[in-house]
Amino acid sequence: MTDLERSSSAGDGRSSNGAELDLHPEPQYPVNDPGHPEHLPRLTDVDEKAADRATRQVATMFGIVPVLAIGFAVVYFAMPRTMYIDFGFLHVNLQHVLLGVTAGMSLLLIGVGAVQWARQLMDDHEMVDYRHSAASDRDDREYVITELQKGTEESKITRRKVLGRSLVGALAAMGIPLVVSFADLGPWPTKKRRAATIETTIWAEGVRLVNDVTYLPIKASDIEIGQLVNGQPENLKDLEGTAFLQAKAKSSIIVVRMDPNTISIPASRQDWQVGGILCYSKICTHVGCPISLWEQQTHHLLCPCHQSTFDLGNSGLVVFGPAARALPQLPITVDGEGYLVARSGFTVPVGPSYFERDSRHDFQEGDS
């Protein structure tokens, strides 16, 4: 038989000797499908006392969680942070260890309790979940609702209500460590705390204005019309570390001299300047960027971050941009040696706005 004849025979579903070929043979498995094993009931399915015992176990685990959560709060607030404990070669903070133990055990008990609930008390039967398209029609939605109701019944939560109540109590108690942990975000921004921190600077009556690079005092006679000088309070050099950085961030100033005949000085601020020399905060009232882009002709100070523009010839009022408040002005005068000194601290908080900030006493256009 030629190759062409063999090909023709195979294409007809016959072998070379004329016998029919099985084009779709049944698959051959090494072993037969054993099927599903026989379902055996659990002890809790046939023994009500065993079910009650499992219920108590789960409820006890959930019930311990609020105690541990309260313990977390007690450790956080009552235990000194200077106490340490040794674990072999480890020297660790005792408060951190106890915080981890109380929070970790709380989560562990919720997890173990939920697993024990599912293994011992929820209905135990095999089920098949068929795949379906991503779109959900009305029948599918009704099916989901039905399954949820069915799951609720199978969980026995309606019959053994202590399980649901203890679980809700355990989960609610876990909010205690979360809320307590918020304290580590920083001090509580009470009115008294704000007044002592972000709303005050180290400026005070008699503090000299110094150059922010050389720290040399600024003499009024040395400043020319149109000149801008970046400055700091003289007492800044007495601070170190974090205190220095925080004070500098709030106390930075700019000193400018303008022709008194070309600027508008309200009657309430006539003694805040010296011959056209005025002092303003260097911190933009929008989001707190340092600003010093000075336009001599217009007396405008421009913030490079978001283009807020302040008119230093008119009490630092905003003339353009997103800033909502005038630039705070520092009242100044001269001492017996002719050096510029502060009459007082800033009369309003410096820096960007925030929800609790009281802006009622800020200078607004039309004030005198």
Side-chain angles (χ1 to χ4, degrees):
M1 181 180 289
T2 64
D3 291 341
L4 181 60
E5 290 172 334
R6 292 192 185 94
S7 174
S8 176
S9 297
D12 292 338
R14 297 177 178 276
S15 64
S16 58
N17 59 9
E20 289 190 7
L21 297 176
D22 187 359
L23 299 181
H24 303 285
E26 290 292 329
Q28 299 297 317
Y29 297 104
V31 294
N32 294 327
D33 183 1
H36 294 293
E38 180 183 359
H39 178 76
L40 299 176
R42 301 166 303 184
L43 179 61
T44 52
D45 294 332
V46 297
D47 188 344
E48 187 66 19
K49 291 183 178 180
D52 292 341
R53 187 163 55 250
T55 300
R56 289 193 297 270
Q57 293 172 353
V58 175
T60 299
M61 285 186 276
F62 289 161
I64 295 174
V65 172
V67 178
L68 291 172
I70 294 173
F72 181 98
V74 172
V75 170
Y76 185 90
F77 289 108
M79 177 165 288
R81 303 191 178 190
T82 56
M83 297 180 65
Y84 285 80
I85 187 172
D86 292 324
F87 291 102
F89 63 91
L90 294 177
H91 183 66
V92 295
N93 186 288
L94 180 58
Q95 185 192 54
H96 293 173
V97 172
L98 293 179
L99 290 177
V101 169
T102 52
M105 287 299 298
S106 297
L107 294 173
L108 178 64
L109 288 174
I110 290 177
V112 173
V115 171
Q116 182 73 346
W117 183 356
R119 291 179 67 251
Q120 299 295 335
L121 297 171
M122 291 186 181
D123 279 353
D124 180 31
H125 63 272
E126 296 173 354
M127 58 184 297
V128 177
D129 187 12
Y130 295 99
R131 293 185 178 182
H132 54 79
S133 61
S136 299
D137 54 25
R138 182 176 180 179
D139 292 338
D140 290 335
R141 292 194 295 270
E142 292 178 352
Y143 170 77
V144 170
I145 297 298
T146 302
E147 288 299 305
L148 287 175
Q149 295 173 345
K150 182 179 178 182
T152 301
E153 295 175 358
E154 292 177 351
S155 69
K156 306 293 178 60
I157 196 171
T158 55
R159 179 182 175 188
R160 302 180 184 274
K161 296 182 179 180
V162 66
L163 295 174
R165 293 169 182 170
S166 58
L167 176 60
V168 171
L171 294 176
M174 286 305 298
I176 296 176
L178 177 63
V179 173
V180 169
S181 299
F182 286 156
D184 266 352
L185 297 178
W188 297 105
T190 61
K191 184 176 182 180
K192 184 178 180 180
R193 171 71 69 172
R194 298 196 307 270
T197 53
I198 61 177
E199 293 184 357
T200 188
T201 68
I202 60 174
W203 285 106
E205 183 180 358
V207 175
R208 280 184 172 179
L209 284 62
V210 299
N211 186 288
D212 74 338
V213 177
T214 64
Y215 280 87
L216 294 175
I218 301 173
K219 206 166 191 175
S221 59
D222 293 339
I223 303 179
E224 299 178 354
I225 292 180
Q227 183 180 0
L228 180 146
V229 179
N230 291 293
Q232 297 288 347
E234 187 178 34
N235 54 351
L236 179 64
K237 65 180 183 294
D238 298 331
L239 303 176
E240 295 179 354
T242 302
F244 172 87
L245 296 175
Q246 291 177 340
K248 185 175 183 179
K250 297 184 294 180
S251 301
S252 298
I253 55 169
I254 50 173
V255 182
V256 294
R257 186 163 198 167
M258 297 169 283
D259 184 350
N261 298 318
T262 63
I263 61 178
S264 175
I265 302 177
S268 60
R269 297 190 178 188
Q270 287 293 331
D271 57 352
W272 286 22
Q273 51 89 33
V274 179
I277 300 175
L278 293 90
C279 178
Y280 290 93
S281 170
K282 185 182 174 71
I283 310 304
C284 181
T285 58
H286 177 218
V287 291
C289 300
I291 50 178
S292 60
L293 297 180
W294 170 235
E295 297 177 352
Q296 294 182 0
Q297 301 300 319
T298 62
H299 304 154
H300 290 173
L301 190 71
L302 174 68
C303 177
C305 296
H306 305 96
Q307 287 70 56
S308 292
T309 307
F310 306 88
D311 186 357
L312 302 190
N314 187 19
S315 303
L317 292 175
V318 180
V319 295
F320 181 78
R325 298 185 294 106
L327 208 58
Q329 183 177 351
L330 180 70
I332 59 172
T333 185
V334 292
D335 60 14
E337 300 179 51
Y339 292 106
L340 295 174
V341 297
R343 282 185 172 274
S344 66
F346 284 100
T347 59
V348 296
V350 302
S353 301
Y354 47 91
F355 287 117
E356 300 87 356
R357 190 190 187 286
D358 185 358
S359 301
R360 291 175 296 178
H361 302 296
D362 286 10
F363 184 84
Q364 302 293 337
E365 189 172 4
D367 291 353
S368 59

